[in-house]
Amino acid sequence: MHFSKLLTLSAATLALAHPGEKHDPHIMKREIRARDAHAIRSKRSLDACSTTQHAKRLQQRNIARRAQTVQNLRKARGVTTSAKKWRRSSDDLEKWEAVNHNQTGLLDFNDKTSAAEIFGGNTSAILAPTVTDGPYYIWGEVQRSNTKEEEYSNGVDVYLEVQYIDVNTCKPVPGAFVDIWNANATGVYSGISTSGNYATDGWDSTYLRGIQETDSDGIVNFETIFPGHYDGRATHTHILTHLNASVHQNNGTLVVGTGSVAHIGQLFWNEVLRSAVEDTYPYTTNTQDITSNADDMWSVIQASSSYDPFPDYVYLGDDLSSGLFAWKQVGINVSADYTDNSYYSIAGYYDENGGHQNTDSTAFGGDSGGDGGMPSGSMSGAIPSGTPN
């Protein structure tokens, strides 16, 4: 479904397709038009500075760093088989999926393959659309790159690099604090204990959540897993960007209410990769309904002719058992602040006393539908515990 088709949907249709959705389609239509106009201006700005020496040097560092990262990961995991890369060209969401299925394939690459060919990619720093943070955002997660924990984190390993670029200067954005969170293999989020998502250990659980600060090249790195699906939403990974936030010295968590929210986004994964992942254990134990990218309202909004919502990735080995290295370049407007935006809601907090619900939040009503409705986590009367059986 092309994003323009979304604009013709009625509020009733949206409510039926995504229970709990409260966003007015007329407001969304205006926001999309404003987003597209801003993206055009941003692209002009990026085009004007993309040939500067600092932009070229940054791209060279990106290629070298990604190549070295994959080499290190392969060595650490004892992988000796040929790796694979999914190559694709830039286009809108529905065309991305057509390209992924019908026009390209998995290509072997080895030490003789040009790093620029593999890791230069067609990533674009065009202004990334801001979308909802959904009903399960937790403020105050621990700063860590490895978000996997001993329990509830089994699945296909993903080593994710996200780079933030100022669309006005083409320069990296250092010092930003980036949240990441996604569901586990059976479609359950940590940190939440509410109808439809009863994570084991409830508000005190933290698996597959973390925060990292961008380095001088605007980079954050996370070790996580490929997210599991859940009812009403396409498979996705949440990212949220704070600027000028203060940090608690005792535990490294962000001080509540400090700084700005410069970007709220979601990374989507193409259907070919998702299908391959879900043919593996423990994803095969996930009994919730699958929603495709084409049928998900937020993936459609994020995709445009200028912005690609799918990360680039490589298999570290010749199959998924060795994991994936994925990367995405995100363009943001550093002067933006979405703290008071309807897309931004806080379900709970994690602090020195553990996790607790935000009782003043509208995250479980109103904007909860911003994430396409709460994951039901419940099929045939069975409430998933969050354990990937």
Side-chain angles (χ1 to χ4, degrees):
M1 182 172 69
H2 193 274
F3 82 88
S4 61
K5 297 178 184 177
L6 175 70
L7 306 183
T8 64
L9 298 179
S10 66
T13 302
L14 288 173
L16 288 172
H18 300 274
E21 178 57 61
K22 299 296 183 182
H23 291 294
D24 188 315
H26 300 293
I27 295 176
M28 291 176 64
K29 182 176 181 179
R30 291 197 299 270
E31 289 178 344
I32 291 171
R33 285 175 174 170
R35 185 279 309 271
D36 289 346
H38 197 169
I40 292 172
R41 293 193 297 271
S42 297
K43 189 174 190 308
R44 290 173 183 162
S45 176
L46 286 168
D47 289 344
C49 62
S50 62
T51 58
T52 61
Q53 287 303 308
H54 76 76
K56 291 179 179 179
R57 288 194 297 269
L58 178 64
Q59 178 66 346
Q60 291 172 350
R61 292 198 300 274
N62 288 344
I63 292 169
R65 182 188 59 256
R66 292 163 185 161
Q68 187 64 52
T69 297
V70 168
Q71 182 178 335
N72 293 343
L73 288 171
R74 283 169 52 82
K75 182 177 180 180
R77 300 174 73 87
V79 178
T80 58
T81 56
S82 296
K84 293 180 178 180
K85 172 174 168 48
W86 186 267
R87 299 184 64 194
R88 48 186 177 69
S89 60
S90 180
D91 214 331
D92 290 51
L93 179 73
E94 59 188 358
K95 295 180 183 178
W96 281 109
E97 294 292 4
V99 168
N100 285 330
H101 282 287
N102 302 324
Q103 298 181 32
T104 65
L106 292 170
L107 301 179
D108 292 338
F109 69 87
N110 52 43
D111 293 339
K112 296 181 181 179
T113 307
S114 166
E117 178 183 350
I118 301 168
F119 299 106
N122 56 350
T123 56
S124 171
I126 191 67
L127 185 72
T130 290
V131 297
T132 180
D133 66 355
Y136 298 145
Y137 173 59
I138 301 295
W139 178 288
E141 294 297 345
V142 177
Q143 287 192 55
R144 58 179 179 176
S145 60
N146 187 354
T147 68
K148 297 189 303 177
E149 297 181 359
E150 185 175 350
E151 295 185 294
Y152 319 123
S153 299
N154 292 338
V156 172
D157 290 334
V158 174
Y159 302 87
L160 178 65
E161 173 194 290
V162 184
Q163 182 176 43
Y164 289 85
I165 301 294
D166 184 340
V167 294
N168 297 307
T169 65
C170 286
K171 293 183 179 180
V173 181
F177 286 95
V178 180
D179 279 89
I180 184 175
W181 70 102
N182 58 254
N184 70 0
T186 55
V188 178
Y189 285 90
S190 70
I192 299 294
S193 181
T194 189
S195 177
N197 194 97
Y198 292 109
T200 302
D201 297 329
W203 299 96
D204 288 325
S205 59
T206 58
Y207 58 84
L208 305 179
R209 292 180 181 268
I211 295 177
Q212 280 284 285
E213 184 177 8
T214 57
D215 63 16
S216 59
D217 275 342
I219 299 289
V220 286
N221 291 282
F222 289 101
E223 183 176 349
T224 182
I225 67 165
F226 193 90
H229 70 267
Y230 55 86
D231 296 344
R233 286 302 318 280
T235 301
H236 62 282
T237 300
H238 290 272
I239 52 175
L240 189 147
T241 312
H242 306 267
L243 295 179
N244 304 311
S246 300
V247 177
H248 287 291
Q249 295 302 312
N250 58 339
N251 62 6
T253 61
L254 300 190
V255 178
V256 174
T258 62
S260 62
V261 177
H263 180 252
I264 306 168
Q266 297 176 24
L267 302 178
F268 293 87
W269 304 89
N270 71 56
E271 299 292 348
V272 172
L273 177 60
R274 180 193 58 74
S275 296
V277 169
E278 290 186 341
D279 282 339
T280 67
Y281 179 86
Y283 299 90
T284 50
T285 68
N286 188 342
T287 58
Q288 299 189 63
D289 288 339
I290 294 173
T291 298
S292 69
N293 286 316
D295 290 331
D296 180 277
M297 68 178 299
W298 295 112
S299 62
V300 172
I301 288 177
Q302 284 222 168
S304 71
S305 59
S306 299
Y307 183 75
D308 164 15
F310 303 118
D312 278 310
Y313 62 89
V314 295
Y315 283 51
L316 293 175
D318 59 1
D319 60 34
L320 288 167
S321 64
S322 298
L324 301 166
F325 172 64
W327 63 97
K328 186 66 185 170
Q329 198 173 58
V330 176
I332 64 173
N333 180 357
V334 297
S335 63
D337 187 358
Y338 294 93
T339 303
D340 296 325
N341 192 280
S342 63
Y343 286 156
Y344 180 59
S345 61
I346 299 174
Y349 299 92
Y350 190 85
D351 54 28
E352 61 273 14
N353 298 315
H356 52 96
Q357 184 177 4
N358 178 15
T359 56
D360 294 328
S361 175
T362 60
F364 302 114
D367 280 347
S368 66
D371 201 35
M374 301 178 201
S376 73
S378 177
M379 295 298 292
S380 303
I383 301 291
S385 65
T387 306
N389 296 321

